[in-house]
Amino acid sequence: MNQYLTRIYQALFGLVWRNYPLARPQEISGKDAFYRLPYLLIQAGKHNPLIVTGKRIATGDEFATISQDISHYVLFDQVESDPSIATALKIAKAYTDNNCDSIVAIGGGSYMDAAKAAAAHIANPKKSLYRMNGILKVRKKTPYFIAVPTTAGTGSEATITSVVINEKNQRKVTINDPVLVPDVAILDPSLTLSLPASLTAQTGMDALTHAVEAFLNKPYLTADTTQLCLDAVRDIVQNLPKAYKDPLDLDARSAMLNASCTAGKAFTVACVGYVHGLAHAIGARYHMPHGLTIAILLPTILERYGKAVEQPLAELARYAGIAEGSDSICCQAFIALIRQMNKAMGIPEGIEALKEEDFKQLASYCYQEVVPLYPVPVIFSEKELVEILRNVKEMGVS
Ligand SMILES: [Fe+2]
């Protein structure tokens, strides 16, 4: 599709999509909110949840406490990072084999996304999960779903999206459907206190990128979504350095968890952009953590957008209290702050592991994800994406 037709598509799709009545999860926030999980299940009339979580949570004190108040549940704890469709299908099988009536996903993005993909399959078992890449492919009611994020990054607890890997070709499959928005999001900052510093940094930069990329996608923005982006960016730039420096800073952890959810609510409407398109392609090919790849790519892509993003980035910079003055000055200050935050949190400037022979394919995968769905401020060609990849590699070498 050429650029002109792409822009027409986005304008027309945006007219419908930005006013689409998307459901939002019921948010239960605050320290010890996690302990309300048994009550929420009972209140919803659910008595046999499938709990998808990792061994760290499943063997922890908090889980021991809540599990006493859940009369019966089935535990699934075999989710790898960057989960495959095969794993999602195993979760779906555990659900049906045990006659479960609800899903509780406790963990980072991998747990929530694998469980959401499983929910898509449970709702629509006749349609292969391998063919659900794209938007509005599920369209059937999914099981009652409670999401409990233990990282402040993915925002999956508030989005229509599940990202899983097609293990047959190592490509990311992005399933987008309003039925995938969880019914409840439990935002308990105490569950994030033990997150290692590197993960705090990477997931936090992912959350920042969700808000920034959404803010740049003008055709899909509403006044409400715009405000969500502004608030999320302000709260993340103010609190991520604090949470990184002092992992036990409960106020900073709480602000980050809420901001991550806020960014999730924004990008589920306004979408993301080339940072995510490239990160999905790179992550699937080299098995790099999503947040780390995102953090590295963000400043480079923003610089490449050039003048087209000067005004919106300046607006974000002013709102977050980063800079004052002309658009040009504020925009530069915003990108400089991102580089500075990355550096302070030990995130490298480039990715040395990228291989030149992969660039064309990575660019093609990225382009296919972004165009025409994401209304990015500048449409890069596959050739330009190869140049960006080369640049990111060079910065990783020097
Ligand atoms: Fe992300």
Side-chain angles (χ1 to χ4, degrees):
M1 194 182 284
N2 70 32
Q3 292 212 6
Y4 182 66
L5 288 176
T6 299
R7 291 309 191 194
I8 290 175
Y9 169 93
Q10 290 166 352
L12 293 175
F13 183 77
L15 274 179
V16 178
W17 182 240
R18 65 176 179 248
N19 297 309
Y20 193 91
L22 275 186
R24 283 191 179 158
Q26 177 193 359
E27 288 175 35
I28 312 288
S29 309
K31 188 176 178 296
D32 297 334
F34 184 50
Y35 295 111
R36 292 179 62 187
L37 176 59
Y39 167 75
L40 289 163
L41 286 166
I42 292 166
Q43 194 185 35
K46 306 300 177 190
H47 302 287
N48 188 19
L50 175 70
I51 299 182
V52 180
T53 191
K55 288 198 168 62
R56 187 180 66 83
I57 292 287
T59 55
D61 293 343
E62 295 98 337
F63 189 78
T65 303
I66 61 134
S67 60
Q68 286 171 6
D69 293 328
I70 303 174
S71 54
H72 190 268
Y73 66 90
V74 176
L75 183 66
F76 188 99
D77 63 2
Q78 301 293 316
V79 177
E80 71 277 28
S81 63
D82 287 330
S84 63
I85 287 179
T87 297
L89 292 172
K90 281 183 200 162
I91 296 171
K93 187 171 185 309
Y95 182 94
T96 47
D97 285 355
N98 292 286
N99 292 316
C100 292
D101 59 8
S102 50
I103 297 177
V104 178
I106 312 168
S110 296
Y111 293 91
M112 290 188 282
D113 280 8
K116 284 167 78 173
H121 184 69
I122 293 161
N124 204 341
K126 287 186 181 158
K127 195 166 193 177
S128 169
L129 262 188
Y130 294 92
R131 280 187 307 224
M132 282 200 190
N133 188 57
I135 191 160
L136 298 173
K137 300 276 177 76
V138 187
R139 294 199 290 179
K140 296 255 172 78
K141 186 160 171 44
T142 47
Y144 183 78
F145 197 109
I146 297 181
V148 189
T150 60
T151 63
T154 146
S156 189
E157 68 277 10
T159 71
I160 64 167
T161 304
S162 160
V163 183
V164 281
I165 289 197
N166 178 344
E167 68 281 357
K168 294 173 184 172
N169 61 10
Q170 291 302 306
R171 283 189 71 176
K172 290 214 173 179
V173 173
T174 306
I175 309 167
N176 299 288
D177 197 301
V179 297
L180 294 184
V181 176
D183 296 279
V184 179
I186 296 180
L187 306 173
D188 185 340
S190 32
L191 295 177
T192 68
L193 293 178
S194 59
L195 204 61
S198 59
L199 273 183
T200 300
Q202 293 167 17
T203 53
M205 291 308 284
D206 185 28
L208 177 66
T209 307
H210 294 153
V212 173
E213 290 209 291
F215 194 70
L216 299 179
N217 289 345
K218 283 246 149 59
Y220 296 177
L221 283 179
T222 59
D224 176 52
T225 314
T226 301
Q227 193 60 49
L228 292 172
C229 295
L230 287 163
D231 289 343
V233 168
R234 178 198 58 202
D235 292 348
I236 293 167
V237 298
Q238 290 179 0
N239 289 284
L240 180 54
K242 291 183 194 168
Y244 179 80
K245 204 171 166 191
D246 178 7
L248 299 179
D249 183 335
L250 198 67
D251 289 340
R253 291 290 197 184
S254 182
M256 281 303 298
L257 199 54
N258 289 324
S260 163
C261 186
T262 301
K265 284 184 279 191
F267 90 82
T268 209
V269 179
C271 295
V272 282
Y274 281 111
V275 181
H276 272 80
L278 275 179
H280 287 154
I282 293 170
R285 174 70 183 84
Y286 301 99
H287 304 287
M288 271 185 72
H290 177 71
L292 175 62
T293 322
I294 288 284
I296 295 169
L297 292 170
L298 179 61
T300 297
I301 299 285
L302 293 181
E303 270 163 7
R304 284 272 173 164
Y305 281 144
K307 283 264 177 207
V309 297
E310 210 171 78
Q311 185 279 327
L313 291 188
E315 193 179 342
L316 287 174
R318 289 188 198 103
Y319 191 82
I322 296 165
E324 286 176 0
S326 69
D327 282 357
S328 169
I329 286 171
C330 290
C331 172
Q332 283 175 34
F334 188 78
I335 298 172
L337 178 76
I338 293 167
R339 289 208 182 281
Q340 192 186 317
M341 284 172 72
N342 275 349
K343 196 173 178 190
M345 297 190 295
I347 291 169
E349 285 188 273
I351 308 172
E352 191 177 1
L354 295 179
K355 294 188 182 118
E356 177 81 31
E357 61 264 34
D358 293 336
F359 288 174
K360 265 190 163 178
Q361 184 149 71
L362 294 174
S364 167
Y365 287 168
C366 170
Y367 191 85
Q368 286 170 41
E369 178 179 336
V370 173
V371 180
L373 185 60
Y374 304 162
V376 284
V378 178
I379 298 174
F380 297 135
S381 65
E382 290 184 37
K383 204 175 153 200
E384 286 170 304
L385 290 169
V386 166
E387 282 168 25
I388 291 170
L389 285 163
R390 204 169 280 137
N391 185 226
V392 171
K393 180 179 173 66
E394 279 164 11
M395 284 195 291
V397 176
S398 57

